[in-house]
């Protein structure tokens, strides 16, 4: 086998990577020690950050890509994939993350956007995950090259309501495509500002053509199972684990809850005695100017 | 009717289910994740995913003993990527969990590196008359194999596909492409 016959960074490899994460929990971590706790608890990947979203929200100021030293130390600590966040539109942060050996970039509204345009993700070898609140947004990100979609929810709140809203919105919009003829699909694509080919694909498959995770406010095993029952392929947990009273126990319980999301007796068992979940913040109390989900379009 | 189980704790379970249904439309394919389901199947697929996660969930779901007993009794098992890591005798390098020790191979996890080193390649696969386009995602590699193990495909000096009696281990993902030839090899193992 000649090594030059190998092909890297194809759409199949990028979307395939995301498929390997299905049925799993991706946990935000800020230190190698937290990353090890996440791996031991059964996380499928970790998201390397300088601060969890709840703290980013509190700190204010401009939120940027994490220090490469933090990311490298986390890559060195675990055997599971490591993801990291770049600002919306900040393709140089993404280039740096790729050079560091990060497995997937989250082009994230949790950080302060750098551009009104999103990153042209097809140009990268490594895959991207992007947030979306509705089908139009999801299709625009996929068209730009996103290999995975997650709900935006409202990060750093511990309030799952916005993730529920966004998951229901995307799924409802896909269901409403059923039975439409081609002209009608073209009209929908125009209305939601989405590529018509992708809209046709969603109509035919009755799902997004890439993996769709829940994110933004998941704080308990019950929240995680709720998102899975609503049709998520897996779950991101940001502040919910390391802002809780007992991160180890919470991490394990959320992993179990995602794997057995439809088994209420098991959910009851794993939810017992976890200590306090993160305190949280009612998403409805956040003024629109401070909401993270409205970043990007 | 023949019933095939796909271990459904984590990973690309639905892709394997669809690939099996494409290869043989009259199969019954079930997602197996509760005690008692594996022993009701005639063959089992251990899918791609994160081996650390799947190994932990096998124990927490209480199905490890059942899976090991089924494989030891001769049930055909297709183990892809993470699955190959799970069934090996030994993990080389840093060990995060104890593998099941079903197949006499030593495996290096993430042997090619991180996701940017993931690749597609055309493989010469024993028994197939033309190359097989294989998808390697943070793939493992077989670095040593016992005498009872038949090597089916290599990449440079490493082994990426091997069989030991009822166990078929692949470092890549046949479920991600439309080429059903390897799934058919697996289904033929039901006749043995």
């Amino acid at each position: 086998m000649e090594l030059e016959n190998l092909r890297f960074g194809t759409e199949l490899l990028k979307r395939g990577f995301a498929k390997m994460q299905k049925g799993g929990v991706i946990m935000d971590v800020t230190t190698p020690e937290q990353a090890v706790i996440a791996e031991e608890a059964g996380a499928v990947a970790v998201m390397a950050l300088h601060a969890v979203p709840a703290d980013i929200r509190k700190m204010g100021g401009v939120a940027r890509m994490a220090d490469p030293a933090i990311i490298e130390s986390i890559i060195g600590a675990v055997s599971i994939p490591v993801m990291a966040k770049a600002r919306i539109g900040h393709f140089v942060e993404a280039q740096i993350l790729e050079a560091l050996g990060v497995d997937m970039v989250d082009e994230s509204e949790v950080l302060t956007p750098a551009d009104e345009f999103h990153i042209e993700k097809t140009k990268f070898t490594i895959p991207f995950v992007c947030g979306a609140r509705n089908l139009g947004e999801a299709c625009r990100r996929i068209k730009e090259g996103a290999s995975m979609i997650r709900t935006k929810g409202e990060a750093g709140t511990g309030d799952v309501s916005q993730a529920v809203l966004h998951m229901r919105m995307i799924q409802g919009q896909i269901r409403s495509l059923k039975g439409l003829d081609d002209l009608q699909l073209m009209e929908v694509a125009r209305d939601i500002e989405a590529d018509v080919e992708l809209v046709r694909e969603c109509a035919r498959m009755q799902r997004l053509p890439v993996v769709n995770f829940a994110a933004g406010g998941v704080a308990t095993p019950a929240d995680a199972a709720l998102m899975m029952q609503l049709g998520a392929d897996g779950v991101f947990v940001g502040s919910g684990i390391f802002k809780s009273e007992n991160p180890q126990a919470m991490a394990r319980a959320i992993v179990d809850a995602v794997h057995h999301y439809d088994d209420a007796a098991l959910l009851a068992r794993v939810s017992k005695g976890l200590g306090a979940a993160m305190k949280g913040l009612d998403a409805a109390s956040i003024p629109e100017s401070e909401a993270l989900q409205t970043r990007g379009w | 009717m023949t019933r095939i189980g796909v271990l459904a704790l984590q990973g690309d379970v639905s892709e394997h289910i669809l690939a099996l249904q494409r290869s043989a439309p009259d199969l019954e394919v079930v997602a197996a994740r509760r005690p008692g389901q594996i022993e009701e199947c005639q063959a089992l697929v251990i899918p791609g995913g994160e081996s650390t996660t799947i190994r932990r969930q096998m124990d927490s779901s209480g199905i490890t003993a059942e899976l090991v007993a089924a494989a030891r009794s001769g049930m055909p098992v297709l183990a892809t990527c993470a699955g190959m890591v799970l069934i090996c005798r030994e993990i080389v390098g840093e060990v995060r969990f104890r593998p099941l020790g079903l197949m006499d191979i030593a495996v290096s996890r993430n042997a090619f590196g991180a996701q940017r080193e993931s690749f597609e390649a055309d493989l010469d696969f024993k028994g197939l008359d033309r190359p097989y386009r294989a998808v390697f995602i943070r793939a493992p590699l077989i670095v040593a194999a016992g005498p009872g193990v038949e090597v089916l495909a290599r990449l440079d000096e490493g082994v990426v596909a091997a069989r030991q009696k009822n166990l078929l281990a692949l470092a890549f993902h046949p479920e991600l492409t439309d080429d059903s030839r390897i799934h058919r090899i697996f289904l033929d193992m039901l006749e043995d």
Side-chain angles (χ1 to χ4, degrees):
Chain A
M1 175 60 54
E2 300 292 322
L3 283 173
E4 49 267 36
N5 289 343
L6 308 187
R7 292 180 68 213
F8 298 90
T10 63
E11 186 182 271
L12 184 60
L13 290 165
K14 295 188 204 177
R15 291 186 179 185
F17 169 83
K19 287 176 178 173
M20 298 310 146
Q21 305 283 304
K22 286 199 301 179
V25 182
I26 300 166
M27 301 183 190
D28 279 6
V29 298
T30 58
T31 65
E33 294 73 28
Q34 289 184 352
V36 170
I37 290 172
E39 180 173 39
E40 283 173 355
V44 288
V46 292
M47 179 75 68
L49 289 164
H50 68 287
V52 294
D55 289 332
I56 291 176
R57 193 178 270 289
K58 253 186 255 160
M59 290 184 305
V62 176
R64 310 180 177 92
M65 173 187 81
D67 181 343
I70 296 178
I71 296 169
E72 271 183 340
S73 69
I74 289 168
I75 290 174
V78 293
S79 68
I80 54 178
V82 175
M83 306 182 179
K85 290 186 195 291
R87 282 179 264 178
I88 289 173
H90 206 315
F91 53 88
V92 174
E93 283 188 348
Q95 289 165 1
I96 291 170
L97 294 175
E98 182 166 77
L100 286 170
V102 160
D103 293 292
M104 179 177 244
V105 175
D106 182 4
E107 186 182 19
S108 176
E109 69 281 3
V110 169
L111 306 183
T112 311
D115 196 340
E116 62 185 302
F117 295 107
H118 286 250
I119 298 171
E120 200 183 323
K121 293 166 275 287
T122 51
K123 289 192 166 167
F124 286 77
T125 302
I126 57 172
F128 281 69
V129 55
C130 289
R133 288 168 299 171
N134 53 53
L135 183 60
E137 215 173 344
C139 288
R140 287 193 290 278
R141 298 295 86 77
I142 295 167
K143 185 69 181 170
E144 293 157 359
S147 307
M148 180 180 195
I149 293 295
R150 54 168 178 76
T151 58
K152 283 183 167 172
E154 188 56 37
T157 61
D159 179 348
V160 78
S161 63
Q162 299 299 296
V164 169
L165 180 71
H166 300 159
M167 187 58 74
R168 281 197 188 282
M169 175 64 78
I170 289 173
Q171 306 219 338
Q173 285 178 293
I174 292 175
R175 267 196 304 275
S176 73
L177 300 176
K178 210 186 257 179
L180 299 191
D181 66 25
D182 205 51
L183 283 173
Q184 290 169 313
L185 289 175
M186 282 163 71
E187 188 186 13
V188 171
R190 265 198 312 275
D191 284 348
I192 65 171
E193 299 179 88
D195 178 71
V196 67
E197 249 331 297
L198 280 170
V199 172
R200 284 191 192 117
E201 205 174 347
C202 292
R204 195 169 57 240
M205 295 171 71
Q206 280 298 297
R207 61 156 295 144
L208 292 178
V210 301
V211 168
N212 185 19
F213 269 45
V218 176
T220 66
D223 288 349
L226 172 68
M227 296 313 300
M228 293 300 288
Q229 288 200 26
L230 287 172
D233 291 317
V235 174
F236 283 87
V237 186
S239 319
I241 289 167
F242 291 99
K243 284 284 164 193
S244 71
E245 192 180 333
N246 185 346
Q248 258 132 333
M250 186 62 83
R252 279 197 298 269
I254 291 180
V255 169
D256 284 334
V258 166
H259 294 168
H260 302 283
Y261 63 86
D262 54 358
D263 182 342
L266 187 135
L267 294 173
R269 198 168 73 235
V270 305
S271 299
K272 275 182 208 162
L274 296 176
M278 70 179 282
K279 179 161 178 289
L281 178 65
D282 177 355
S285 71
I286 299 172
E288 176 137 2
S289 61
E290 288 170 29
L292 301 177
Q293 59 175 281
T294 51
R295 294 169 165 181
W297 65 290
Chain B
M1 189 196 277
T2 306
R3 182 187 291 165
I4 315 273
V6 178
L7 187 69
L9 297 173
Q10 191 272 319
D12 69 334
V13 175
S14 59
E15 284 71 16
H16 266 293
I17 291 175
L18 289 173
L20 287 164
Q21 287 167 341
R22 269 202 309 270
S23 323
D26 55 341
L27 286 178
E28 185 190 357
V29 188
V30 299
R33 60 197 176 116
R34 294 201 174 83
Q37 285 182 303
I38 292 172
E39 56 199 22
E40 289 175 357
C41 295
Q42 280 82 55
L44 179 71
V45 174
I46 307 179
E50 285 306 319
S51 55
T52 51
T53 307
I54 299 173
R55 182 69 189 87
R56 183 186 174 278
Q57 291 312 112
M58 265 184 201
D59 285 346
S60 84
S61 306
I63 58 172
T64 310
E66 188 183 329
L67 191 159
V68 168
R72 291 234 160 94
S73 73
M75 179 186 285
V77 175
L78 171 63
T80 62
C81 194
M84 179 171 111
V85 179
L86 290 163
I87 68 167
C88 76
R89 165 175 53 77
E90 184 195 347
I91 295 172
V92 180
E94 249 181 288
V95 179
R96 306 285 166 149
F97 59 89
R98 208 157 48 87
L100 300 175
L102 296 169
M103 188 163 175
D104 192 10
I105 52 175
V107 168
S108 168
R109 289 181 64 204
N110 306 331
F112 300 91
Q115 174 61 16
R116 67 180 174 195
E117 278 88 37
S118 292
F119 59 92
E120 296 178 32
D122 290 323
L123 291 182
D124 291 321
F125 196 100
K126 196 169 178 181
L128 298 182
D129 54 359
R130 58 197 159 77
Y132 186 89
R133 165 64 53 152
V135 180
F136 292 84
I137 297 175
R138 285 171 50 92
L141 194 63
I142 299 174
V143 293
V149 176
E150 181 188 14
V151 171
L152 300 175
R154 289 177 188 277
L155 197 63
D156 289 326
E157 292 315 299
V159 174
V160 294
R163 179 173 174 183
Q164 180 184 335
K165 292 187 187 137
N166 57 315
L167 308 173
L168 179 59
L170 309 173
F172 53 91
H173 295 281
E175 74 280 12
L176 292 185
T177 52
D178 293 332
D179 189 338
S180 297
R181 288 179 293 164
I182 291 180
H183 275 91
R184 279 200 294 272
I185 290 175
F186 170 57
L187 295 173
D188 284 345
M189 287 163 61
L190 280 161
E191 317 293 324
D192 295 355

